[in-house]
């Protein structure tokens, strides 16, 4: 399957108003912009892959502007009304930013074109008006498209659409949000079959996959959009920090490098400091603020902060008022936040494509290089950072393994489709399978999904609340009631985050309150201060009044909890608890894993590593061994009346956790009495009462019988039950939001657990249980990568087994993970280094 590349033309004709606009600025249209105009003129859809600063977004809109200009010229007195172009962004902020950037050239060209945005923040009156009197160009998000299609006037709204532009397509395509958008595209194709699609992306590992996603699919014949690749920009300049400070053996805080980071910030006008989790963002901001003797304006930006606080930071960035912003993926995509000189990545990148996306935030000029600094958090991460640097220099992208469309997402779409207008099953099946993620969906599974939406399934069909569809006299299915349609609109979407509580600031009271009391610090709750953001419900539930924690870059004292809000006062405590946010962790990509193994296997590459890391690897070679790139090292050693086994697959934390589940079960069956395991992105350690050096490693790492072992483990654990809650929420089986109220996380858990137990007992093949198992297998367990790992080590001589008398140098980081104790701040770092020194003395003893 090959993507059709567009052949450039030399005679692309542009309206005079467009050529004049370019000429007035001393510009000329770039080749890829002209190629996209030519493709659109012939009614062809296309994926544009272009680096940051190449005018990618303008290229996407130019064909629409030209078409609208032509329509205005042909019908000056009676213009054609209706929605012409639908722009879809993964971020609300990006849609708003693009609208603002588009309005400028439209005004400068003197064009009479209405441009509007529609997000969750758009006032309801404006949303209603947009359905009745839409603009010519509407910028929105995937969820809003589905909601618009779920209205009875959805067909009338979208039948005039000539073009759809999907920005940052790579960020959506292989996700549940992407599944929802693909189903919406299938519906839109049925409403406006001649509509063309434009995908925009700066980082693409597999262009064919994205080109296929854009197009309505046909039976047994993949259909792909055209591919347009822009000329490359200046290659980025990437360096890996070689700190004079001691690089930690393990951990993820990067606190050791705080002075190096601050020095880098001082050398540039503005830096983005990316971290991989929200808790890391809080800690990093606090560490930098303590070192900020020059009082440089440094800000914090992550998804749990209040919208108002995030907008203030974004506005300050646009004005150029900030020297640095510590952020998570919230600032990763294509919003233009002003002049960024440097991107600093704290912690390992986890993937070259993700890192290229982040580096693209620095320097939006195509002919000048973006600059980036990688700051590894530990010694294994030094290898990963070096691997990512090499991949970026070679321009090589990585990507996720493709996954089939989610059945829970399909269930949500079926209900939304019924809210929009009644349907016949065969017609809806054709629409659904036109969406690339669902192209292979069989009709029987489709019927089971529709039956679930209609009745809840066999075990639940006796309860009226689960009957959401009804059959009309002509055989079509429609929504059962207005109440069901209302519930759909309140709960639509695929982003299921941990239950959050609004956090409000209050003055510290003389009298402490207990959780559940409606008075805080002696004040009525209604007088509480402004919202400072949201915190995961489970985190607040573990706090007692008086406990301190870090949030929004400040230390707070927990004062109490009332209804759905938590209250805290400012404090100057130096050792706060730190929120351990659940979101934001990325797995090590398969591509980078291979490169890390290659660096480890080749001592010639060690010369480019920091001296202390090079010494560590040389010591490993002397004390144990260094595996070839096609081998996996396994070590066993006794310690403190237990027996340890460490292996180094470098396949990512999720795959290693799954491998740990499988190996401990096999060791238990073999009588070795395993006690536990610990996995990180690079290694897996198992400890047992039995001597693990006597284990049959070939049998232990066999690729036979994987499913039996893991199925038993999943059934015995809470993993399926926890995942079922998310699946049931997306599928509409349980609703969190109701008119005027919202269920708490605890209430959602109770509802989900009760239904889960009923289904497991009475309908174990329920479609949502199937969807849950698929989610666990592809996501939380990363079964595909673990299978690939075990298949890789079946070849002769693919296991390098070392039976040692004591711990090895490579095992020190993973053993430290096992030995961690919950102490916050610098004391924890000092204790870990002390334990590491003990391990090294033991190694040399």
């Amino acid at each position: 399957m090959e993507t059709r590349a567009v052949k450039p033309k030399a005679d692309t004709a542009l309206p005079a108003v467009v050529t004049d606009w370019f000429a007035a600025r001393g510009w000329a249209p770039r080749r890829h912009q002209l190629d996209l105009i030519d493709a659109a003129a012939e009614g062809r859809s296309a994926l544009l892959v272009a680096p940051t600063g190449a005018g990618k977004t303008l290229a996407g809109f130019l064909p629409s502007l030209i078409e609208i200009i032509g329509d205005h010229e042909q019908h000056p007195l009676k213009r054609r009304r209706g929605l012409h172009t639908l722009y879809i962004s993964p971020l609300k902020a990006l849609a708003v930013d693009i609208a603002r950037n588009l309005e400028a050239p439209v005004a400068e060209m003197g064009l009479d074109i209405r441009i509007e945005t529609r997000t969750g923040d758009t006032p309801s009156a404006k949303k209603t008006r947009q359905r009745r009197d839409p603009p010519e160009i509407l910028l929105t998000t995937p969820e809003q498209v589905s909601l618009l299609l779920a209205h009875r006037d959805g067909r009338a709204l979208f039948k005039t659409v000539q073009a759809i532009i999907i920005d940052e397509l790579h960020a959506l395509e292989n996700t549940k949000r992407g599944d929802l958008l693909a189903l919406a595209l299938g519906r839109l194709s049925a409403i406006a079959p001649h509509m063309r699609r434009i995908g925009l992306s700066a980082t693409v590992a597999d262009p064919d996959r994205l080109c296929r996603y854009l197009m309505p699919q046909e039976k047994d014949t993949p259909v792909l959009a055209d591919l347009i690749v822009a000329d490359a920009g200046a290659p980025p300049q990437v360096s890996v920090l070689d700190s004079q400070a001691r690089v930690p053996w393990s951990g993820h805080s990067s606190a050791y490098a705080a002075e190096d980071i601050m020095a880098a910030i001082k050398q540039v006008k503005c830096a983005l400091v990316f971290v991989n989790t929200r808790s890391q963002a809080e800690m990093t901001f606090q560490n930098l603020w303590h070192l900020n003797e020059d009082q440089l304006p440094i800000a914090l930006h992550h998804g749990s902060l209040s919208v108002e606080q995030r907008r203030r930071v974004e506005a300050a960035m646009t004005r150029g008022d900030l020297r640095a912003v510590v952020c998570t993926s919230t600032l990763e995509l294509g919003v233009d936040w002003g002049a960024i000189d440097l991107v600093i990545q704290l912690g390992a990148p986890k993937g070259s494509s993700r890192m290229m996306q982040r580096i693209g935030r620095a320097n939006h000029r195509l002919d000048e290089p973006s600059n980036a600094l990688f700051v590894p958090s530990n010694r294994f991460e030094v290898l990963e950072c070096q691997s990512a640097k090499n991949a970026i220099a070679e321009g090589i992208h990585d990507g996720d393994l493709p996954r089939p469309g989610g059945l829970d997402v399909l269930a949500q779409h079926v209900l939304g489709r019924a809210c929009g207008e009644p349907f016949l099953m065969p017609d809806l099946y054709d629409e659904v399978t036109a969406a690339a993620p669902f192209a292979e969906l069989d009709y029987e599974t489709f019927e089971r999904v529709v039956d679930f939406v209609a009745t809840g399934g066999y075990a639940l069909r006796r309860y009226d609340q689960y009957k959401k569809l009804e059959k009309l006299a002509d055989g079509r299915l429609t929504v059962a009631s207005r109440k069901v349609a209302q519930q759909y609109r309140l709960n639509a979407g695929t982003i299921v985050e941990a239950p959050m509580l609004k956090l409000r600031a209050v003055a510290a009271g003389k009298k402490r309150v207990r959780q559940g009391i409606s008075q805080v610090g002696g004040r009525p709750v209604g007088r509480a201060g402004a919202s400072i953001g949201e915190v995961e419900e489970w985190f607040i539930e573990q706090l007692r009044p008086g406990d301190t924690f870090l949030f929004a870059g400040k230390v707070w004292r927990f004062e109490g909890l009332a209804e759905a809000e938590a209250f805290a006062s400012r404090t100057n405590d130096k050792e706060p608890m730190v929120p351990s946010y659940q979101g934001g962790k990325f797995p090590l990509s398969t591509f980078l894993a291979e490169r890390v193994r290659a660096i480890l296997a080749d001592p010639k590459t060690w010369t480019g590593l920091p001296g202390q890391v090079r010494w560590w690897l040389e010591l490993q070679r002397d004390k144990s061994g260094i595996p070839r790139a096609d081998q996996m090292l396994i070590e066993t050693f006794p310690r403190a009346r237990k027996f340890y086994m460490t292996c180094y697959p470098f396949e990512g934390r999720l795959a290693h956790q799954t491998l740990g589940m499988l190996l401990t079960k096999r060791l238990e069956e073999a009588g070795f009495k395993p006690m536990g395991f610990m996995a990180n992105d690079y290694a897996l350690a198992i400890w047992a009462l039995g001597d693990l050096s006597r284990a049959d490693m070939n049998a232990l790492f066999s690729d036979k019988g994987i499913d039996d072992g893991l199925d038993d483990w999943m059934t015995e654990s809470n993993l399926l039950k926890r995942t079922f809650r998310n699946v049931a929420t997306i599928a509409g089986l349980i609703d969190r939001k109701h008119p005027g109220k919202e269920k708490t996380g605890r209430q959602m858990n109770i509802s989900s657990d009760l239904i889960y137990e009923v289904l497991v007992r009475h309908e174990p093949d329920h479609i949502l249980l199937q969807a849950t198992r698929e989610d666990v297998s592809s996501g939380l367990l990363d079964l595909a990568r673990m299978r690939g790992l075990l298949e890789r080590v079946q070849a002769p001589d693919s296991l390098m087994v070392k039976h040692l008398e004591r711990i090895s140098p490579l095992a020190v980081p993973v053993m430290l993970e096992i030995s961690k104790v919950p102490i916050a701040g610098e004391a924890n770092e000092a204790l870990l280094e002390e334990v590491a020194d003990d391990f090294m003395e033991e190694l040399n003893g």
Side-chain angles (χ1 to χ4, degrees), residues 36 39-41 43-46 59-68 80 82-88 135-140 145 157-166 185 188 192-199 214:
L36 198 52
R44 303 198 313 272
S45 297
F61 281 105
L62 275 175
S64 294
L65 296 181
I66 291 170
E67 287 179 5
I68 297 173
R80 191 165 50 191
L83 180 60
H84 180 282
T85 296
L86 185 65
Y87 167 93
I88 301 170
E136 286 160 297
I137 299 177
L138 181 65
L139 299 94
T140 188
V145 176
L157 172 66
F158 289 114
K159 68 180 182 181
T160 61
V161 171
Q162 302 297 308
I164 287 186
I165 303 169
I166 306 175
L185 291 177
L188 289 170
H194 301 298
M195 170 191 68
R196 54 184 171 77
R197 297 122 181 262
I198 295 175
L214 280 172

Side-chain angles (χ1 to χ4, degrees), residues 671-706:
F672 284 94
K673 300 179 181 178
M675 301 175 67
F677 71 88
M678 203 293 304
N680 60 23
D681 269 334
Y682 315 101
L684 167 68
I686 297 176
W687 54 99
L689 294 177
D691 186 352
L692 294 177
S693 67
R694 298 180 180 179
D696 181 345
M697 296 301 173
N698 289 319
L700 188 61
F701 286 88
S702 171
D703 62 348
K704 304 295 188 295
I706 296 174

Side-chain angles (χ1 to χ4, degrees), residues 431-453:
E431 287 181 13
V432 167
T433 52
F438 297 91
E440 306 300 322
L441 181 72
D442 62 89
Y443 196 81
E444 180 185 356
T445 302
F446 168 73
E447 282 186 307
R448 292 173 59 207
V449 171
V450 175
D451 179 66
F452 155 71
V453 179

